[in-house]
Amino acid sequence: MPQPPAQRASVLFPMPLPEPFDYAVPEGVRVAPGDHVLAPLGKRTAPGVVWAVGDDDGSRALKTLEGVRGGPRLEKPVRDFIDWTARYLVEPPGVILRTVLRSPAALKPSPVETVYAPTGAAIARLTPARRAVLDAAEDGPASAAELARRAGVSSSVVKGLAEAGALSAREIEIDPPFDPPDPYGEGLELTAQQEQAAVILRRLVAAGGFQAALLDGVTGSGKTEVYFEAVAELLRREADAQVLVLLPEIALTQAVTKRFEDRFGAAPALWHSGLPDKERRRAWREVASGRARIVAGARSSIFLPLPKLRMVVVDEEHDPTYKQDENLTYNARDLAVARGKLAGAAVILASATPSMETLVNAEAGRYVQVRLPDRVKGAVLPEIELLDLREYPAEKGEWLSQPLIDAAAETLERGEQVLFYLNRRGFAPLVLCRSCGEKMKSPEADRWLVEHRYTGRLVCHVTGFSMPKPKHCPHCGAEDSLIGVGPGVERVAEEAARKFPDARVEVFSSDTAASGEAVRALVERMEKGEIDILVGTQIAAKGHNFPRLTLVGVVDADLGLAGGDLRAGERTYQTLVQAAGRAGRADRPGRAILQTHKPEHEALQALKNGDRDAFLEAERMMREVLKLPPYGRLAAMILSAPDAALVDSAAKAIAAAAPVAEGVQVFGPAEPPLGVVRGRWRRRFLVQAERNVDVSAYMRAWTARIKPPSAVRVSVDIEPYSFL
Ligand code: ADP
């Protein structure tokens, strides 16, 4: 038989290198794109992935691959997604590959352990120790150590029983596969409106291939139940299809996991950045091998290598947590749509307050529109009232105004629950010295330190820096002179406890509910009615269903409006709809009271009148006139350097290198609000382009022209959300 010609392989390494490198494939070895290999790189051997193969004509002297590693091949749609994302985000493809290969240990098969189970065979001498082990083994197969622990004996007794034939040994995988979902599991009986929506989504699934849909339904309209129908339809049609469900908060995964279990008889594979190594390894391997069918996770799960991806759901698609602002900057919602296109998958974007970007896409006919205008089971949306703080100011040093306190008292009297919503962690957002006026600043960033009273620390919410609250003012030395100014959730909780001494008050923020477990416990206490007043940040405002919660008091409805970034109005509106939407979800009518100094603001007026369209119209006009997204495109370039002179000279050179292009304007360099972070001086450019301009291509062209000194870091942010 003729030998096939020798192969040449381009290998992409999970590192910030500009492109894949070519290698000769050793004789007798065949590789295919997506295979995991080891290759010499400089003086060492590095793991990489074959990106392309060709015939080796021997015309170039190439280094030779050192080996092929096992593990699930990265399929073409996944590789295409990596290439596309790299170009879109203006990053080397190896950086995206590194993000995809988040669990190196997962390339190896699961480690195994030996477990023992009773055989039923009778044995001659049954000592009490042996008896105890056999009893313990009745509870299910387990390792020798585990059986010995259950029986309270030494593990040699287990081994003895195995030798005597009373226990049989077998090897099992330590990382077990996830149970497959049952697409025939029974769901809730859909309302007529839900059924209509489900019909459209089922049809979309049946058509196959890429199509995006916007599932636009008010809070409590039962959107989850509707997209479950689409998931079930897909799994009935294609048993090995994979579904990815993106969720905005890890806090929500707990609740959603439970709903998946109820519906599909199996929990989804979970993925988020806080997973312990072992679970990360298990989830990655099962997902990459195609065995895990339903994956639910935070924004980073958009990078999981699902080989058979057929559907992506982005729940609360408008949520700003889908945008990662640090390190690799990306918007998981936008990547989800791109990924759906490349994989031929359906994409369902669900929200009660869709982003302007998504609405415009839907209206232009690029996305199918599915609407759920009413809550299920006759539940009505809460009545929204604006409480003018100019007319009813709170007492000095307090934050709850009298009409809100009265409403809370009535609610508690009826045995119902209250949520005070304030999107500010900690006790006070600013700490100053009563004696000299000095404000406590973070030593690492241009930011005020936030007082956290539960921990007694001052914390920087930008860098995470924290220190114990000093006894003496570091500036003038006065004793006990540092006071917290302004409200955070902890301070509002103190006030609530003072006003309602008999009420059980708890704080719900990422500080008090730091782990999934803590969130679950808190949500459970709330559901069981063990909490009367919950004081929470945005983590409390999303997705939870608390049947006895009938009053939401928004402590500062103006908070989000001050920021001045382009999405401030939209975000305030979305957040307040979500927060207000917590009230009265079941059969009890709810009320939402928004404390404000600007009741005339259009976002607040729209909320009060339940007139989303009016708000969107005003917002849309503003964006259209100013050519802001989605009517124009934005990109940012951020530089940082260890000293101000260096960053300024680099910025000057970079500004001079900006390509001239039609429909593109470059603003900057400007000193951003966060001028210094962790000892690095920062400067920003903002690029504003017409909608038809490929802003990524522009940024690639620009970055290709610059060569800043190595101490200067340059990063690109496509469609930035943060302007700090
Ligand atoms: P959304 O995501 O639109 O806010 P959910 O899907 O969370 O709404 O549903 C809100 C509540 O209504 C949940 O408690 C859910 O179990 C319940 N629900 C949804 N659909 C139905 C239905 N058809 N029958 C009964 N209860 C439903």
Side-chain angles (χ1 to χ4, degrees):
M1 268 222 324
Q3 287 284 318
Q7 275 183 315
R8 179 171 50 76
S10 323
V11 175
L12 185 63
F13 295 96
M15 329 175 173
L17 297 168
E19 58 196 1
F21 294 154
D22 286 350
Y23 292 90
V25 178
E27 237 181 80
V29 176
R30 306 296 290 174
V31 294
D35 281 345
H36 300 272
V37 293
L38 291 170
L41 185 68
K43 287 195 172 63
R44 61 199 180 101
T45 299
V49 175
V50 175
W51 225 240
V53 289
D55 293 342
D56 188 4
D57 57 10
S59 61
R60 272 192 300 159
L62 294 173
K63 288 188 182 167
T64 305
L65 284 188
E66 291 184 7
V68 180
R69 310 162 80 205
R73 183 176 280 172
L74 291 187
E75 299 294 346
K76 183 164 170 16
V78 177
R79 300 196 309 273
D80 288 348
F81 176 67
I82 291 172
D83 284 331
W84 183 89
T85 304
R87 291 177 63 77
Y88 177 70
L89 298 179
V90 194
E91 293 284 346
V95 167
I96 312 298
L97 178 64
R98 183 169 63 192
T99 310
V100 169
L101 302 179
R102 273 301 295 277
S103 180
L107 288 182
K108 298 200 188 77
S110 168
V112 292
E113 69 173 350
T114 307
V115 295
Y116 296 87
T119 58
I123 53 168
R125 278 191 311 109
L126 200 54
T127 61
R130 287 184 156 193
R131 171 86 270 157
V133 168
L134 287 178
D135 285 347
E138 291 297 331
D139 296 341
S143 67
E146 170 61 17
L147 283 182
R149 194 193 58 78
R150 287 188 204 160
V153 301
S154 86
S155 49
S156 61
V157 184
V158 179
K159 304 270 162 64
L161 279 167
E163 277 159 28
L167 288 176
S168 67
R170 90 189 133 89
E171 295 210 316
I172 60 155
E173 296 185 342
I174 289 180
D175 303 341
F178 294 89
D179 290 334
D182 171 12
Y184 297 95
E186 219 168 288
L188 297 172
E189 195 184 325
L190 298 185
T191 64
Q193 217 171 67
Q194 283 176 312
E195 182 54 34
Q196 274 177 10
V199 166
I200 303 177
L201 293 185
R202 284 193 213 107
R203 221 180 277 147
L204 192 145
V205 168
F210 166 72
Q211 173 64 57
L214 165 60
L215 178 55
D216 179 357
V218 298
T219 53
S221 58
K223 295 185 285 295
T224 312
E225 222 47 50
V226 171
Y227 74 65
F228 277 2
E229 288 300 313
V231 173
E233 176 73 14
L234 173 69
L235 295 176
R236 284 193 292 260
R237 288 180 167 266
E238 221 180 312
D240 61 354
Q242 289 181 300
V243 179
L244 175 63
V245 181
L246 297 183
L247 301 165
E249 293 276 345
I250 308 172
L252 279 180
T253 51
Q254 308 289 336
V256 174
T257 304
K258 169 101 185 27
R259 291 178 69 171
F260 269 102
E261 272 183 65
D262 291 347
R263 175 65 197 263
F264 296 102
L270 290 185
W271 184 267
H272 54 79
S273 54
L275 273 189
D277 280 351
K278 181 165 176 279
E279 282 171 50
R280 170 181 302 275
R281 177 182 80 194
R282 173 187 178 208
W284 198 94
R285 183 188 304 111
E286 293 303 310
V287 165
S289 69
R291 283 188 299 259
R293 299 286 145 66
I294 305 180
V295 186
R299 63 184 176 215
S300 60
S301 44
I302 194 60
F303 292 107
L304 283 171
L306 301 101
K308 299 234 168 87
L309 183 65
R310 293 290 175 271
M311 184 186 295
V312 190
V313 178
V314 185
D315 205 352
E316 313 286 6
E317 68 86 27
H318 65 277
D319 199 289
T321 55
Y322 285 124
K323 174 77 181 181
Q324 172 158 302
D325 287 326
E326 269 195 310
N327 304 322
L328 185 64
T329 58
Y330 65 91
N331 186 327
R333 191 260 328 273
D334 296 345
L335 296 190
V337 175
R339 188 152 185 198
K341 264 185 210 163
L342 293 166
V347 179
I348 299 176
L349 307 175
S351 176
T353 52
S355 62
M356 188 65 76
E357 283 84 349
T358 297
L359 278 172
V360 168
N361 278 324
E363 280 157 20
R366 287 186 282 271
Y367 300 170
V368 172
Q369 284 199 72
V370 188
R371 288 208 178 84
L372 293 172
D374 299 314
R375 287 190 155 182
V376 289
K377 291 190 292 190
V380 287
L381 285 165
E383 196 182 313
I384 296 182
E385 301 151 49
L386 302 180
L387 175 49
D388 190 341
L389 288 174
R390 294 171 306 196
E391 208 174 319
Y392 300 100
E395 298 282 317
K396 200 169 155 29
E398 303 202 324
W399 315 98
L400 304 173
S401 124
Q402 197 56 45
L404 179 55
I405 295 169
D406 294 344
E410 283 167 28
T411 308
L412 296 175
E413 255 162 47
R414 285 196 303 271
E416 295 170 353
Q417 294 166 314
V418 175
L419 166 69
F420 288 129
Y421 170 80
L422 176 66
N423 201 13
R424 258 193 188 145
R425 292 161 50 204
F427 181 80
L430 179 68
V431 179
L432 60 75
C433 172
R434 227 179 339 211
S435 162
C436 71
E438 173 81 356
K439 295 172 185 156
M440 295 293 290
K441 247 189 176 178
S442 166
E444 298 191 321
D446 232 349
R447 278 284 133 141
W448 309 127
L449 289 174
V450 176
E451 178 175 4
H452 283 235
R453 192 156 282 188
Y454 294 168
T455 55
R457 299 183 78 83
L458 305 184
V459 181
C460 171
H461 287 183
V462 173
T463 63
F465 166 87
S466 84
M467 63 190 259
K469 184 178 174 188
K471 183 135 183 68
H472 298 269
C473 168
H475 192 64
C476 72
E479 193 171 332
D480 291 331
S481 67
L482 294 175
I483 51 162
V485 181
V489 277
E490 293 177 7
R491 178 171 249 176
V492 172
E494 265 191 26
E495 184 179 340
R498 263 198 318 276
K499 294 265 153 62
F500 301 101
D502 297 331
R504 294 156 300 176
V505 181
E506 287 202 40
V507 169
F508 191 179
S509 74
S510 55
D511 299 303
T512 62
S515 66
E517 200 39 57
V519 169
R520 184 165 28 201
L522 208 147
V523 167
E524 215 174 280
R525 284 203 295 287
M526 187 72 185
E527 281 170 355
K528 283 197 191 142
E530 292 170 11
I531 299 171
D532 301 308
I533 301 178
L534 192 62
V535 184
T537 61
Q538 43 85 25
I539 193 173
K542 289 178 196 166
H544 309 288
N545 297 306
F546 300 127
R548 264 177 281 218
L549 172 64
T550 56
L551 175 67
V552 172
V554 175
V555 176
D556 185 352
D558 310 331
L559 193 55
L561 295 172
D565 83 53
L566 82 99
R567 291 182 178 82
E570 182 186 27
R571 195 168 301 168
T572 301
Y573 180 81
Q574 290 164 339
T575 315
L576 296 180
V577 169
Q578 289 291 335
R582 293 317 106 204
R585 290 184 61 120
D587 29 18
R588 290 173 230 241
R591 245 178 118 182
I593 299 178
L594 280 50
Q595 299 195 134
T596 171
H597 287 98
K598 294 189 205 86
E600 62 285 352
H601 191 281
E602 63 202 14
L604 299 181
Q605 282 297 320
L607 265 165
K608 172 167 173 279
N609 301 326
D611 192 351
R612 188 177 89 180
D613 291 346
F615 171 70
L616 288 172
E617 224 16 72
E619 185 72 21
R620 187 195 309 269
M621 266 167 56
M622 183 271 284
R623 303 244 194 135
E624 213 167 348
V625 169
L626 300 178
K627 293 232 164 61
L628 291 172
Y631 297 100
R633 301 195 186 276
L634 294 179
M637 190 187 289
I638 302 114
L639 328 181
S640 72
D643 75 77
L646 184 59
V647 82
D648 279 327
S649 70
K652 216 168 142 195
I654 289 174
V660 177
E662 209 182 302
V664 179
Q665 266 186 298
V666 178
F667 301 98
E671 189 180 331
L674 275 177
V676 186
V677 176
R678 293 191 188 97
R680 297 185 69 86
W681 269 254
R682 303 168 76 245
R683 297 290 180 267
R684 290 181 72 101
F685 291 93
L686 184 69
V687 174
Q688 188 173 10
E690 305 271 344
R691 197 185 145 80
N692 59 4
V693 170
D694 181 345
V695 75
S696 297
Y698 179 86
M699 299 307 278
R700 285 197 300 274
W702 188 3
T703 47
R705 288 181 175 197
I706 61 177
K707 249 202 153 354
S710 60
V712 177
R713 253 183 250 149
V714 178
S715 62
V716 169
D717 187 356
I718 299 293
E719 300 295 358
Y721 273 34
S722 164
F723 298 86
L724 295 178

